[in-house]
Amino acid sequence: MLSLKRILLIVDGPGVMTHTAPLVTSLLRQGVAVRVALTESARLLVGDYFTTMLSGTPLVRFPDIPEKILDDSDAVLAAPVSEKLAKTLCEDNWQAAWKRVKGPVVIVPAFLPQEDGADIRKTLSSHGGGAVQWLMADGETTDMGSLGLLDVASPARCLEAAMTALTKRDFAGKRVLITAGPTAEDFDPVRFVTNRSTGRMGVALARMAAWRGADVTIVHGPMSWPVPPHGGIHACPVRNAQAMYDAVMACVAEMDLAILCAAVADFTPIEYSNVKIKKQKNTDGVFSLKMKRTPDILDSIGHATGRHPFLVGFAAESDHVQAYAQAKLESKNCDMLCANDVTKPGSGFAVGTNQVTVFKRDGSVVELPQMSKEDVARRILDIALEGMGRRAAN
Ligand code: CTP
């Protein structure tokens, strides 16, 4: 869990109908205290109790924001605001107010699809680099009902920007590679061999690293867990183990940290049938599939010659967790290995929590308690960052 953070959310116009409820609830779910300031035009559309009930804190009427609220805020998110208000928020009198805020001010302008946003881009970009940041629509359109369409960043993108603004940037400048999810090994046009991984742990790692300022590449198999829409996360979807190997090997040399979290299939069918295999052909009622080993990605990085990133492996085990994990750390030549017992309740596939034990190269072991996968990801990144620092110092 983040240590308690406070955000001031400024909302203007019809965006209060589409963005405010999903944003406030998702920020609260992340443990962030939200104070909402509505402009007159937003207040016309919803009753004053709407945001009070949502956020659990009294409504602030924009522009009368008490200094105490500015002083207490770790970041400001103006989402969405009209083009006119976006420009106003960049003016000198507001710049003075923003100096009171502990962190950045993220402005999310909404404009009509027929406008190209060039004017607002110009205004906002002249304020880049300081406390004011901005998040433009990236091909997203929000349907405001009878009011029509507006181009504005989605609530999910606003959330990612807000969490990034609230998080210490101790991974800024670091390039992080993550593998996630299962792989799917096809043997005819409709059938394949896969496993129970949903990709949730890998996505949590990618997200937490991006919030901390890392430039993240996530190479993932067919996951049931979506990659968050964060500008710092580059998704590289692949289907099978060989494609994951190729995608990882193409970029791993540029990385500072690689966390191999994917449940890569260890075997793939030897033959692929271009037509669907008919069951009637197997007259004895038995179907046999001959499979061969896939490349081991973690092992290949660990034993590659030349520079390689700080290397973190995962081990999903059902028995002898400590012995198998330690053996994998050694044999795959990792800097760190995160093991979990998939038979334990609340640890493993398709659940929101995990219980991981981290085995380090120096022989030390960190047993983490059962936590949400996002909190586990935070702790793994803390331990990896410390290890990277130590490796750089040696
Ligand atoms: N891994 C990999 N490529 C593979 C298989 C595994 O990169 N072809 C990585 C996983 O992403 C994980 C680690 O190796 O970081 C351990 O994976 P795991 O499936 O637990 O172990 P295996 O080496 O496959 O051994 P076993 O299945 O015998 O336990």
Side-chain angles (χ1 to χ4, degrees):
M1 208 26 109
L2 277 181
S3 56
L4 181 71
K5 294 282 180 187
R6 295 174 200 279
I7 198 163
L8 171 65
L9 176 66
I10 299 172
V11 193
D12 178 35
V16 73
M17 301 184 298
T18 53
H19 279 55
T20 306
L23 255 177
V24 172
T25 50
S26 50
L27 283 163
L28 292 177
R29 224 176 293 132
Q30 289 296 337
V32 177
V34 190
R35 200 66 196 258
V36 186
L38 294 187
T39 64
E40 193 65 34
S41 71
R43 287 181 48 231
L44 279 173
L45 297 169
V46 292
D48 281 357
Y49 285 112
F50 172 65
T51 56
T52 304
M53 296 306 284
L54 262 180
S55 67
T57 51
L59 173 72
V60 178
R61 295 176 182 208
F62 185 89
D64 307 321
I65 302 174
E67 287 183 349
K68 169 96 176 73
I69 291 182
L70 291 169
D71 293 343
D72 284 349
S73 297
D74 293 290
V76 175
L77 178 66
V81 292
S82 66
E83 192 173 335
K84 182 160 169 264
L85 184 56
K87 284 182 184 167
T88 305
L89 295 177
C90 291
E91 284 166 5
D92 288 349
N93 53 332
W94 280 104
Q95 293 291 341
W98 303 147
K99 288 210 172 76
R100 306 189 76 102
V101 178
K102 295 185 196 98
V105 175
V106 183
I107 299 178
V108 183
F111 41 90
L112 295 168
Q114 59 267 33
E115 296 168 7
D116 67 0
D119 193 28
I120 184 76
R121 271 176 216 275
K122 211 169 121 210
T123 308
L124 291 172
S125 60
S126 66
H127 288 87
V132 175
Q133 305 171 359
W134 43 285
L135 184 69
M136 299 296 278
D138 185 16
E140 304 135 292
T141 296
T142 297
D143 192 342
M144 301 275 173
S146 64
L147 296 173
L149 301 175
L150 276 183
D151 281 357
V152 56
S154 67
R157 274 183 73 226
C158 294
L159 173 72
E160 296 305 310
M163 294 310 298
T164 305
L166 288 167
T167 307
K168 193 171 149 205
R169 298 179 61 76
D170 55 359
F171 270 80
K174 302 243 181 304
R175 289 152 306 173
V176 176
L177 170 69
I178 289 165
T179 67
T183 61
E185 310 298 324
D186 297 304
F187 57 92
D188 82 8
V190 294
R191 301 189 184 93
F192 54 91
V193 179
T194 189
N195 60 64
R196 293 179 57 203
S197 168
T198 61
R200 193 164 175 175
M201 189 65 235
V203 165
L205 281 159
R207 199 175 190 209
M208 295 305 111
W211 288 0
R212 290 164 77 158
D215 184 35
V216 180
T217 300
I218 179 169
V219 179
H220 65 87
M223 301 192 293
S224 44
W225 205 256
V227 178
H230 190 294
I233 303 180
H234 318 284
C236 176
V238 296
R239 185 153 176 87
N240 57 31
Q242 183 64 50
M244 185 172 277
Y245 174 88
D246 294 341
V248 166
M249 290 306 169
C251 66
V252 70
E254 300 151 22
M255 300 293 162
D256 299 299
L257 168 65
I259 308 181
L260 274 68
C261 185
V264 188
D266 291 317
F267 296 93
T268 191
I270 289 177
E271 282 178 7
Y272 177 79
S273 165
N274 286 322
V275 292
K276 189 181 166 199
I277 299 166
K278 299 310 269 180
K279 62 176 178 290
Q280 285 84 351
K281 289 208 172 134
N282 295 77
T283 44
D284 59 357
V286 175
F287 177 69
S288 310
L289 192 60
K290 258 196 147 171
M291 300 177 84
K292 61 176 183 198
R293 283 286 301 271
T294 55
D296 190 314
I297 308 168
L298 181 60
D299 191 82
S300 306
I301 302 172
H303 291 101
T305 49
R307 180 197 175 276
H308 69 73
F310 190 86
L311 187 57
V312 181
F314 263 73
E317 305 292 353
S318 60
D319 58 304
H320 301 92
V321 177
Q322 169 136 5
Y324 285 150
Q326 240 140 12
K328 272 178 200 171
L329 174 80
E330 297 284 325
S331 70
K332 300 201 185 195
N333 202 21
C334 313
D335 295 294
M336 199 172 122
L337 193 116
C338 308
N340 63 333
D341 182 343
V342 289
T343 61
K344 272 195 192 161
S347 178
F349 300 121
V351 286
T353 53
N354 208 354
Q355 199 268 301
V356 162
T357 304
V358 179
F359 296 83
K360 296 199 250 174
R361 203 62 210 217
D362 63 7
S364 58
V365 177
V366 184
E367 193 158 339
L368 300 176
Q370 189 179 106
M371 294 182 278
S372 73
K373 284 187 172 163
E374 293 196 339
D375 284 337
V376 172
R378 285 190 177 98
R379 295 292 301 276
I380 290 172
L381 290 169
D382 289 344
I383 300 169
L385 191 61
E386 196 198 340
M388 289 159 78
R390 228 175 310 114
R391 191 168 87 166
N394 286 331

mmCIF file of all heavy atoms in Angstrom, residues 179 241 244 259-266 293-299 312-317 324 328 332 337, ligand 1:
data_model
loop_
_atom_site.group_PDB
_atom_site.id
_atom_site.type_symbol
_atom_site.label_atom_id
_atom_site.label_comp_id
_atom_site.label_asym_id
_atom_site.label_seq_id
_atom_site.Cartn_x
_atom_site.Cartn_y
_atom_site.Cartn_z
ATOM 1 N N THR A 179 8.498 -10.086 -18.408
ATOM 2 C CA THR A 179 7.709 -11.056 -19.189
ATOM 3 C C THR A 179 6.525 -11.448 -18.321
ATOM 4 O O THR A 179 6.630 -11.507 -17.092
ATOM 5 C CB THR A 179 8.524 -12.313 -19.578
ATOM 6 O OG1 THR A 179 8.848 -13.059 -18.400
ATOM 7 C CG2 THR A 179 9.779 -11.964 -20.350
ATOM 8 N N ALA A 241 6.153 -19.561 -26.837
ATOM 9 C CA ALA A 241 7.436 -19.443 -26.126
ATOM 10 C C ALA A 241 8.548 -18.966 -27.061
ATOM 11 O O ALA A 241 9.370 -18.121 -26.672
ATOM 12 C CB ALA A 241 7.800 -20.796 -25.521
ATOM 13 N N MET A 244 8.179 -15.314 -27.626
ATOM 14 C CA MET A 244 8.565 -14.567 -26.414
ATOM 15 C C MET A 244 10.092 -14.511 -26.320
ATOM 16 O O MET A 244 10.665 -13.451 -26.030
ATOM 17 C CB MET A 244 7.945 -15.207 -25.169
ATOM 18 C CG MET A 244 8.207 -14.421 -23.903
ATOM 19 S SD MET A 244 7.303 -15.043 -22.466
ATOM 20 C CE MET A 244 5.712 -14.268 -22.671
ATOM 21 N N ILE A 259 12.713 -8.710 -15.296
ATOM 22 C CA ILE A 259 11.985 -9.568 -14.351
ATOM 23 C C ILE A 259 11.181 -10.561 -15.177
ATOM 24 O O ILE A 259 10.248 -10.177 -15.890
ATOM 25 C CB ILE A 259 11.060 -8.743 -13.428
ATOM 26 C CG1 ILE A 259 11.826 -7.607 -12.756
ATOM 27 C CG2 ILE A 259 10.401 -9.644 -12.394
ATOM 28 C CD1 ILE A 259 11.005 -6.747 -11.805
ATOM 29 N N LEU A 260 11.575 -11.825 -15.090
ATOM 30 C CA LEU A 260 10.927 -12.835 -15.935
ATOM 31 C C LEU A 260 9.859 -13.563 -15.133
ATOM 32 O O LEU A 260 10.146 -14.480 -14.369
ATOM 33 C CB LEU A 260 11.985 -13.772 -16.540
ATOM 34 C CG LEU A 260 12.543 -13.175 -17.843
ATOM 35 C CD1 LEU A 260 13.366 -11.937 -17.599
ATOM 36 C CD2 LEU A 260 13.305 -14.185 -18.629
ATOM 37 N N CYS A 261 8.658 -13.075 -15.319
ATOM 38 C CA CYS A 261 7.540 -13.499 -14.502
ATOM 39 C C CYS A 261 6.612 -14.432 -15.279
ATOM 40 O O CYS A 261 5.705 -15.033 -14.718
ATOM 41 C CB CYS A 261 6.839 -12.195 -14.114
ATOM 42 S SG CYS A 261 5.498 -12.335 -13.013
ATOM 43 N N ALA A 262 6.819 -14.528 -16.605
ATOM 44 C CA ALA A 262 5.893 -15.301 -17.439
ATOM 45 C C ALA A 262 5.941 -16.787 -17.098
ATOM 46 O O ALA A 262 6.988 -17.323 -16.728
ATOM 47 C CB ALA A 262 6.251 -15.110 -18.914
ATOM 48 N N ALA A 263 4.793 -17.418 -17.234
ATOM 49 C CA ALA A 263 4.707 -18.873 -17.106
ATOM 50 C C ALA A 263 4.878 -19.440 -18.522
ATOM 51 O O ALA A 263 3.895 -19.721 -19.217
ATOM 52 C CB ALA A 263 3.365 -19.270 -16.512
ATOM 53 N N VAL A 264 6.140 -19.501 -18.932
ATOM 54 C CA VAL A 264 6.447 -19.923 -20.309
ATOM 55 C C VAL A 264 6.221 -21.432 -20.431
ATOM 56 O O VAL A 264 6.653 -22.187 -19.552
ATOM 57 C CB VAL A 264 7.934 -19.615 -20.649
ATOM 58 C CG1 VAL A 264 8.219 -19.870 -22.122
ATOM 59 C CG2 VAL A 264 8.302 -18.191 -20.258
ATOM 60 N N ALA A 265 5.561 -21.850 -21.488
ATOM 61 C CA ALA A 265 5.384 -23.296 -21.690
ATOM 62 C C ALA A 265 6.756 -23.936 -21.845
ATOM 63 O O ALA A 265 7.605 -23.424 -22.584
ATOM 64 C CB ALA A 265 4.556 -23.537 -22.944
ATOM 65 N N ASP A 266 6.978 -25.032 -21.140
ATOM 66 C CA ASP A 266 8.280 -25.699 -21.229
ATOM 67 C C ASP A 266 8.368 -26.587 -22.459
ATOM 68 O O ASP A 266 9.460 -26.927 -22.910
ATOM 69 C CB ASP A 266 8.529 -26.537 -19.967
ATOM 70 C CG ASP A 266 8.730 -25.650 -18.755
ATOM 71 O OD1 ASP A 266 9.446 -24.636 -18.880
ATOM 72 O OD2 ASP A 266 8.157 -25.942 -17.688
ATOM 73 N N ARG A 293 11.077 -29.465 -26.127
ATOM 74 C CA ARG A 293 11.425 -28.374 -25.203
ATOM 75 C C ARG A 293 11.411 -27.028 -25.927
ATOM 76 O O ARG A 293 11.775 -26.915 -27.091
ATOM 77 C CB ARG A 293 12.828 -28.599 -24.630
ATOM 78 C CG ARG A 293 12.902 -29.650 -23.541
ATOM 79 C CD ARG A 293 12.320 -29.179 -22.232
ATOM 80 N NE ARG A 293 12.973 -28.000 -21.686
ATOM 81 C CZ ARG A 293 14.025 -28.048 -20.879
ATOM 82 N NH1 ARG A 293 14.565 -29.193 -20.541
ATOM 83 N NH2 ARG A 293 14.554 -26.936 -20.413
ATOM 84 N N THR A 294 10.999 -25.999 -25.207
ATOM 85 C CA THR A 294 11.068 -24.623 -25.727
ATOM 86 C C THR A 294 12.377 -24.008 -25.238
ATOM 87 O O THR A 294 12.970 -24.513 -24.279
ATOM 88 C CB THR A 294 9.893 -23.787 -25.176
ATOM 89 O OG1 THR A 294 9.932 -23.881 -23.751
ATOM 90 C CG2 THR A 294 8.560 -24.282 -25.697
ATOM 91 N N PRO A 295 12.803 -22.891 -25.833
ATOM 92 C CA PRO A 295 14.014 -22.255 -25.283
ATOM 93 C C PRO A 295 13.725 -21.701 -23.887
ATOM 94 O O PRO A 295 12.634 -21.195 -23.648
ATOM 95 C CB PRO A 295 14.302 -21.123 -26.278
ATOM 96 C CG PRO A 295 13.072 -20.940 -27.083
ATOM 97 C CD PRO A 295 12.274 -22.197 -27.006
ATOM 98 N N ASP A 296 14.688 -21.818 -22.986
ATOM 99 C CA ASP A 296 14.517 -21.245 -21.642
ATOM 100 C C ASP A 296 15.054 -19.811 -21.673
ATOM 101 O O ASP A 296 16.264 -19.588 -21.791
ATOM 102 C CB ASP A 296 15.257 -22.100 -20.598
ATOM 103 C CG ASP A 296 14.889 -21.672 -19.186
ATOM 104 O OD1 ASP A 296 14.873 -20.449 -18.905
ATOM 105 O OD2 ASP A 296 14.595 -22.555 -18.360
ATOM 106 N N ILE A 297 14.148 -18.858 -21.578
ATOM 107 C CA ILE A 297 14.523 -17.444 -21.761
ATOM 108 C C ILE A 297 15.402 -16.955 -20.607
ATOM 109 O O ILE A 297 16.455 -16.350 -20.826
ATOM 110 C CB ILE A 297 13.244 -16.573 -21.883
ATOM 111 C CG1 ILE A 297 12.304 -17.141 -22.960
ATOM 112 C CG2 ILE A 297 13.607 -15.125 -22.192
ATOM 113 C CD1 ILE A 297 10.913 -16.550 -22.956
ATOM 114 N N LEU A 298 14.963 -17.264 -19.398
ATOM 115 C CA LEU A 298 15.718 -16.810 -18.217
ATOM 116 C C LEU A 298 17.132 -17.384 -18.233
ATOM 117 O O LEU A 298 18.120 -16.664 -18.029
ATOM 118 C CB LEU A 298 14.961 -17.252 -16.949
ATOM 119 C CG LEU A 298 15.561 -16.859 -15.601
ATOM 120 C CD1 LEU A 298 15.665 -15.340 -15.457
ATOM 121 C CD2 LEU A 298 14.721 -17.421 -14.442
ATOM 122 N N ASP A 299 17.210 -18.655 -18.496
ATOM 123 C CA ASP A 299 18.507 -19.336 -18.534
ATOM 124 C C ASP A 299 19.409 -18.737 -19.630
ATOM 125 O O ASP A 299 20.602 -18.528 -19.428
ATOM 126 C CB ASP A 299 18.256 -20.828 -18.797
ATOM 127 C CG ASP A 299 19.499 -21.645 -18.594
ATOM 128 O OD1 ASP A 299 19.794 -21.971 -17.439
ATOM 129 O OD2 ASP A 299 20.181 -21.921 -19.602
ATOM 130 N N VAL A 312 15.996 -11.004 -12.582
ATOM 131 C CA VAL A 312 15.098 -11.541 -11.552
ATOM 132 C C VAL A 312 14.234 -12.641 -12.174
ATOM 133 O O VAL A 312 13.559 -12.411 -13.181
ATOM 134 C CB VAL A 312 14.183 -10.434 -10.974
ATOM 135 C CG1 VAL A 312 13.266 -10.989 -9.884
ATOM 136 C CG2 VAL A 312 15.016 -9.275 -10.433
ATOM 137 N N GLY A 313 14.271 -13.821 -11.579
ATOM 138 C CA GLY A 313 13.427 -14.922 -12.055
ATOM 139 C C GLY A 313 12.291 -15.180 -11.088
ATOM 140 O O GLY A 313 12.287 -14.687 -9.954
ATOM 141 N N PHE A 314 11.345 -15.946 -11.544
ATOM 142 C CA PHE A 314 10.238 -16.384 -10.702
ATOM 143 C C PHE A 314 10.253 -17.907 -10.666
ATOM 144 O O PHE A 314 10.743 -18.549 -11.593
ATOM 145 C CB PHE A 314 8.894 -15.902 -11.277
ATOM 146 C CG PHE A 314 8.401 -14.635 -10.627
ATOM 147 C CD1 PHE A 314 9.013 -13.423 -10.896
ATOM 148 C CD2 PHE A 314 7.326 -14.670 -9.747
ATOM 149 C CE1 PHE A 314 8.566 -12.256 -10.298
ATOM 150 C CE2 PHE A 314 6.868 -13.499 -9.139
ATOM 151 C CZ PHE A 314 7.485 -12.296 -9.413
ATOM 152 N N ALA A 315 9.704 -18.472 -9.619
ATOM 153 C CA ALA A 315 9.554 -19.927 -9.573
ATOM 154 C C ALA A 315 8.213 -20.249 -8.928
ATOM 155 O O ALA A 315 7.980 -19.907 -7.766
ATOM 156 C CB ALA A 315 10.696 -20.548 -8.780
ATOM 157 N N ALA A 316 7.347 -20.821 -9.718
ATOM 158 C CA ALA A 316 6.060 -21.270 -9.187
ATOM 159 C C ALA A 316 6.227 -22.732 -8.841
ATOM 160 O O ALA A 316 6.443 -23.554 -9.728
ATOM 161 C CB ALA A 316 4.983 -21.076 -10.249
ATOM 162 N N GLU A 317 6.146 -23.041 -7.561
ATOM 163 C CA GLU A 317 6.400 -24.417 -7.127
ATOM 164 C C GLU A 317 5.193 -24.954 -6.357
ATOM 165 O O GLU A 317 4.389 -24.184 -5.830
ATOM 166 C CB GLU A 317 7.639 -24.473 -6.202
ATOM 167 C CG GLU A 317 8.907 -23.865 -6.796
ATOM 168 C CD GLU A 317 9.479 -24.659 -7.974
ATOM 169 O OE1 GLU A 317 8.978 -25.754 -8.266
ATOM 170 O OE2 GLU A 317 10.417 -24.157 -8.622
ATOM 171 N N TYR A 324 13.952 -25.998 -4.517
ATOM 172 C CA TYR A 324 13.830 -25.797 -5.964
ATOM 173 C C TYR A 324 14.181 -24.354 -6.347
ATOM 174 O O TYR A 324 14.818 -24.105 -7.377
ATOM 175 C CB TYR A 324 12.410 -26.125 -6.438
ATOM 176 C CG TYR A 324 12.101 -27.610 -6.509
ATOM 177 C CD1 TYR A 324 10.805 -28.077 -6.309
ATOM 178 C CD2 TYR A 324 13.094 -28.541 -6.796
ATOM 179 C CE1 TYR A 324 10.508 -29.437 -6.380
ATOM 180 C CE2 TYR A 324 12.811 -29.900 -6.867
ATOM 181 C CZ TYR A 324 11.506 -30.344 -6.662
ATOM 182 O OH TYR A 324 11.219 -31.682 -6.736
ATOM 183 N N LYS A 328 17.121 -23.119 -8.843
ATOM 184 C CA LYS A 328 16.845 -22.323 -10.058
ATOM 185 C C LYS A 328 17.679 -21.039 -10.084
ATOM 186 O O LYS A 328 18.185 -20.641 -11.133
ATOM 187 C CB LYS A 328 15.356 -21.951 -10.136
ATOM 188 C CG LYS A 328 14.532 -23.011 -10.846
ATOM 189 C CD LYS A 328 13.061 -22.694 -10.907
ATOM 190 C CE LYS A 328 12.302 -23.997 -11.162
ATOM 191 N NZ LYS A 328 10.865 -23.884 -11.043
ATOM 192 N N LYS A 332 20.086 -20.964 -13.254
ATOM 193 C CA LYS A 332 19.746 -19.995 -14.310
ATOM 194 C C LYS A 332 20.563 -18.707 -14.171
ATOM 195 O O LYS A 332 20.349 -17.756 -14.913
ATOM 196 C CB LYS A 332 18.249 -19.712 -14.296
ATOM 197 C CG LYS A 332 17.389 -20.964 -14.536
ATOM 198 C CD LYS A 332 15.994 -20.649 -15.008
ATOM 199 C CE LYS A 332 15.140 -21.919 -15.101
ATOM 200 N NZ LYS A 332 13.913 -21.723 -15.869
ATOM 201 N N LEU A 337 15.655 -14.423 -7.105
ATOM 202 C CA LEU A 337 14.572 -15.299 -7.549
ATOM 203 C C LEU A 337 13.380 -15.205 -6.586
ATOM 204 O O LEU A 337 13.553 -15.256 -5.372
ATOM 205 C CB LEU A 337 15.057 -16.744 -7.639
ATOM 206 C CG LEU A 337 14.048 -17.603 -8.388
ATOM 207 C CD1 LEU A 337 14.620 -18.139 -9.683
ATOM 208 C CD2 LEU A 337 13.545 -18.718 -7.526
HETATM 209 N N1 CTP B 1 11.304 -19.480 -17.804
HETATM 210 C C1 CTP B 1 11.721 -18.965 -19.017
HETATM 211 N N2 CTP B 1 11.618 -19.710 -20.140
HETATM 212 C C2 CTP B 1 11.134 -20.964 -20.099
HETATM 213 C C3 CTP B 1 10.716 -21.511 -18.869
HETATM 214 C C4 CTP B 1 10.806 -20.728 -17.721
HETATM 215 O O1 CTP B 1 12.148 -17.804 -19.058
HETATM 216 N N3 CTP B 1 11.046 -21.671 -21.212
HETATM 217 C C5 CTP B 1 11.446 -18.640 -16.600
HETATM 218 C C6 CTP B 1 10.135 -18.234 -15.948
HETATM 219 O O2 CTP B 1 9.643 -17.038 -16.494
HETATM 220 C C7 CTP B 1 10.558 -18.088 -14.493
HETATM 221 C C8 CTP B 1 11.650 -19.136 -14.329
HETATM 222 O O3 CTP B 1 12.120 -19.401 -15.642
HETATM 223 O O4 CTP B 1 11.149 -16.828 -14.261
HETATM 224 C C9 CTP B 1 11.241 -20.409 -13.687
HETATM 225 O O5 CTP B 1 10.141 -20.937 -14.351
HETATM 226 P P1 CTP B 1 9.459 -22.272 -13.839
HETATM 227 O O6 CTP B 1 8.379 -22.645 -14.802
HETATM 228 O O7 CTP B 1 9.104 -22.164 -12.382
HETATM 229 O O8 CTP B 1 10.652 -23.271 -13.890
HETATM 230 P P2 CTP B 1 11.237 -24.181 -14.988
HETATM 231 O O9 CTP B 1 12.631 -23.723 -15.272
HETATM 232 O O10 CTP B 1 10.320 -24.250 -16.156
HETATM 233 O O11 CTP B 1 11.353 -25.554 -14.217
HETATM 234 P P3 CTP B 1 10.238 -26.611 -13.762
HETATM 235 O O12 CTP B 1 9.067 -26.431 -14.670
HETATM 236 O O13 CTP B 1 10.945 -27.901 -13.929
HETATM 237 O O14 CTP B 1 9.955 -26.272 -12.333
#
